[in-house]
Each structure stands twice: as C-alpha cells, then as structure tokens.
Amino acid sequence: MSAESRPERSKVQRSLAGNIAFALGLIVVLATTVLGAFAAVALLLDAADVAPLSSVVPDDGQNALVIGGIAVGGTLGLMLPVLLFGMVKGSEQTPRVGARAAGRKLLALLAFDVYVLVLAVVVAQIGWILPKGVTTVVAVFAVGFSWMPLAMIPRERLGLGSRQPE
C-alpha cells in the first residue's frame, strides 16, 4: 500500500472547499457573537427591571448595562465557537487546543465577563446624578476601553500559554 491512499484533489477543489468551510465558520462565529450580545442585553435589562439589580441601577443608568451586556455577550459569543473550532482543527503551525488550555481560556473569559459586568454596574451608578445621555457616553468609554490595559498584559503572565512564533 502506498503512502498516498487517497486520490489527490485539484488545488481549485481544495481551495473552494476551504473557502466554503471558512465562510460557514465565519457565519457561525458572527451569528453567535450577535446573538450572544442580544441575549446578554435582554437578560441584563430584565435583571435591572425586576430582578436583584432593580434597586441598584437607576433608570438613567440602564444604558450602561446595555453596553456591558454587548461586551459580555459579544466576547462570549465570539470566543466560544472560536475555542471549540480550535479544539477540533489544528495544524503543524497551530496545534489543537487541549482540554486543559481550553478550560483556562474559558476561566479567563469568565473572569473578564465578571469584570465587565461589575464595571457596567459601577458606571450605571453615575445615572443617579447625571442624565441618561451623559451616562451613556461615560459608559461607552469606561466599558469600551477599560479592557485595553488587560489586553496589553502578556498572555504568559496570566497563565494562558505562550504566543505562537511569527
């Protein structure tokens, strides 16, 4: 039996199949990102209206929760399918993500989401003294840019593994 037991497909067929797989993967990732953001916003607004956050979040601060929900749901919806794809697909340059590494990355994502939620609730407190529009602008900058220092920390210091060589 020879080393090549499968018949070779042409380069055009391989690239077409790869492009279709990439497009389907991209559609799944974008759909989960958008749906995750909508779901988190709906859950947070419901929590601010009737649940435990109703006495903590003023009416003028609810947009801060919307912005935090977009951040939480978007990152979760983006990272979960990417992580699952990484556990299935691998190559010599980028090996598959193992279960232990995936667990660490999910815990890091959970910690980031908790950080964003707490920050959104803290920024929502500005709604007690400032109008809704100003609170929304402050929330966009506070929640939107607060993760920048965290993103600048090397992954090795957070225990998330080493970067791939370029």
Side-chain angles (χ1 to χ4, degrees):
M1 195 164 175
S2 70
E4 293 187 34
S5 60
R6 299 187 289 178
E8 284 291 319
R9 293 188 299 178
S10 71
K11 190 173 185 177
V12 173
Q13 287 175 330
R14 284 187 301 213
S15 65
L16 179 65
N19 288 342
I20 291 172
F22 177 78
L24 289 175
L26 184 65
I27 289 170
V28 167
V29 169
L30 290 175
T32 56
T33 301
V34 171
L35 291 175
F38 278 121
V41 167
L43 289 173
L44 281 174
L45 284 180
D46 188 41
D49 288 338
V50 295
L53 292 178
S54 62
S55 62
V56 177
V57 177
D59 289 338
D60 286 344
Q62 285 190 353
N63 283 350
L65 287 183
V66 169
I67 294 165
I70 291 170
V72 167
T75 56
L76 185 62
L78 173 70
M79 291 305 296
L80 200 57
V82 168
L83 189 59
L84 291 175
F85 288 151
M87 291 179 75
V88 175
K89 178 87 172 122
S91 66
E92 290 181 15
Q93 291 84 15
T94 56
R96 289 183 184 174
V97 177
R100 183 172 286 188
R104 280 195 313 266
K105 289 179 182 186
L106 284 176
L107 283 175
L109 180 63
L110 178 66
F112 174 75
D113 286 347
V114 167
Y115 166 74
V116 169
L117 284 177
V118 168
L119 183 65
V121 170
V122 168
V123 171
Q125 300 308 308
I126 297 172
W128 291 111
I129 54 176
L130 294 176
K132 192 173 200 169
V134 176
T135 304
T136 302
V137 170
V138 170
V140 166
F141 284 103
V143 174
F145 296 121
S146 66
W147 56 271
M148 285 296 198
L150 185 63
M152 291 180 196
I153 297 173
R155 288 189 265 171
E156 297 86 18
R157 299 209 55 194
L158 298 174
L160 296 175
S162 63
R163 294 181 188 260
Q164 295 293 328
E166 302 196 22

